[in-house]
Structures are given as structure tokens and as C-alpha cells.
Amino acid sequence: MRQAITFDSMAKPQLVLGKLAQLNAERGSAALDDAELRALTDLTSSLAGAAGGPAAAPAAALAPAALDALVKALGWPLEAAYPPLDILRLALLHPAGAARVPTISPPLVPSLLAALAGASGAPAPTLVMALRVLCNMCAVPRLHASIGEHVNAVLEAASEHLNAGAHTVRVPAATLLLNFAIFIAGSAAAEEEAQAQILSAVAPALVAIGEGDAPDDLALRLLATVGTLAHSKLGATFVRRLAADLGIGGAVAALGARAKSSDAVKACAAQLGQLLAATG
């Protein structure tokens, strides 16, 4: 089975930490104290600098004091939440960080969904980081239960931001749908409702891309999502029927024929088109 796609790198941790310090200075009674800020700084540097990725960071960097400081910062208002969320997406890929996630109060996933709600007014950086946290949770088996309790709501949030957001928001939204498709494809259960929800979100996005000018990363993730579902336990027959109802086949063909599509997108679209057409 394919592995979930993660957002597991931080190119410029000093910028994140600088923003964290700036926002912390504005938090009043909710601010981190000097010791907490140092612990969170060390945590971030260790996670971002580990040669083998966040999971290989020294266990000492994820000491309870550092994780406590991170959880405290996660309680900041939405306009200030993106640096803590940026750190969290790396921390949960480490066993010690993943173990702490289920103990976060209020529960993490409902808090992320509240931030992603259309009426939340969350700024784009917070939306991006909330989606990235959910994407990374899909890659951690011990967190599947936490996210699985809210499947419909998570897919609804991904769909909303896939079809109504800026590109920086749409890419993690598409990635979240792909990660759920990967999870479903390996499930023994017939997740027809979830598959239908994912395909219903992908269809208008594929149409829009075929008619517009979207970068390859978004197009490839959407094509991969449909292809992954076609190879799920339910199989391509179910996906072909639903894809036909949603007009996905035509959207895939249009994307493959688009002059601005890269060779990789054209090849992926051609392969998916053949799969959808050949399965009866």
C-alpha cells in the first residue's frame, strides 16, 4: 500500500521561531515564560534539524516540558496559531509527540476542524498548517483513531478548501483527500460513503484545473487520489461508475489534453483515463 504523504520538513526554522517569539510577546497572560520558550525553541530546532527527519530527533528534545509548552501555545487565538501548528506537524511524526496528541485538551481534531470552518475567520497560514497537521496524522497509525472519529467532517473541510481556497491552501487540502484515499484503499471495509465524498470533492477541482492554470503538484495529487480509489478494496468498477456520474473521466481527459500540463500530468491523466474506461 502507498504511504501517506507528509509535510515533514521545515526549511527555515529560525523564521518560524522568530514569529513565535513575536506573537508570544503579544499574548499577555497566555504568553510562554522564558523557560517554556527556550524548551519550544530547542524542540523546533531538533525536529527541523534531524538528519533522518522529525521521527529521528533526540528523544530528550521531546521532554514533557517542551511538549507542555507546545500544547500551551496551541491555545492561542487563530490569528496566532500557525507557528505552534507548524511545530506540531513535525512533533507528531515523532513517537513521543504522537503519544501526546490524544491527551491534548481540548481534543486536537475538533479544534482543527473549528479553525477550518468557513466562519472561523482563520488566516491562510493557520488554515494551511491545520490541514498539514491532519495530513501528517494520517501517516501515524496510533493517531488514526483520533482522526477516524471525524472522517466526514475532515473530508468536508478538505473539500471546502480544495474548491474555494488559495493555492497554498488547496495543496494540503488535496493531500488530505489523497491520504484518506490511501487509508481507505487498504481498508477491509467497504467505505463507499467516504469514497463518494472524496470523489465528489475531487470532481469540480479537476474540472477547474482542466480549464485553468494550476501547478503540477495539485493536479498530480488529485489524479493520484482517483487512481488510488480505483485500486481500493471496492475496486475500479465502483469508482468508474461514480466517476462517470460526476464527470471525472471528461475532466481527466481535458487535463491530459491541456497545453500547459506537464509531461508527468499528461502521462498520469492518460493512465487514469485508460483505467476508468477499461473497467466495466
Side-chain angles (χ1 to χ4, degrees), residues 254-269:
L255 185 57
R258 189 184 67 164
K260 293 180 179 179
S261 292
S262 67
D263 290 343
V265 170
K266 290 178 180 178
C268 188

Side-chain angles (χ1 to χ4, degrees), residues 81-205:
Y82 54 94
L85 288 173
D86 203 0
I87 300 168
L88 175 64
R89 70 178 172 87
L90 299 185
L92 64 81
L93 295 174
H94 190 284
R100 183 61 190 272
V101 168
T103 71
I104 293 175
S105 181
L108 178 62
V109 174
S111 295
L112 295 173
L113 291 171
L116 291 168
S120 75
T126 296
L127 298 176
V128 169
M129 293 306 162
L131 289 165
R132 288 184 176 185
V133 169
L134 290 168
C135 287
N136 286 3
M137 290 181 71
C138 291
V140 182
R142 72 182 303 163
L143 298 181
H144 287 175
S146 296
I147 200 170
E149 295 174 0
H150 307 279
V151 171
N152 289 341
V154 171
L155 292 179
E156 287 174 7
S159 175
E160 176 183 350
H161 292 290
L162 175 64
N163 290 296
H167 178 68
T168 54
V169 178
R170 296 176 73 195
V171 169
T175 306
L176 185 54
L177 291 174
L178 174 55
N179 282 355
F180 262 92
I182 292 169
F183 179 75
I184 290 170
S187 172
E191 302 282 357
E192 291 192 13
E193 182 179 354
Q195 291 214 41
Q197 198 171 357
I198 292 171
L199 290 174
S200 295
V202 168

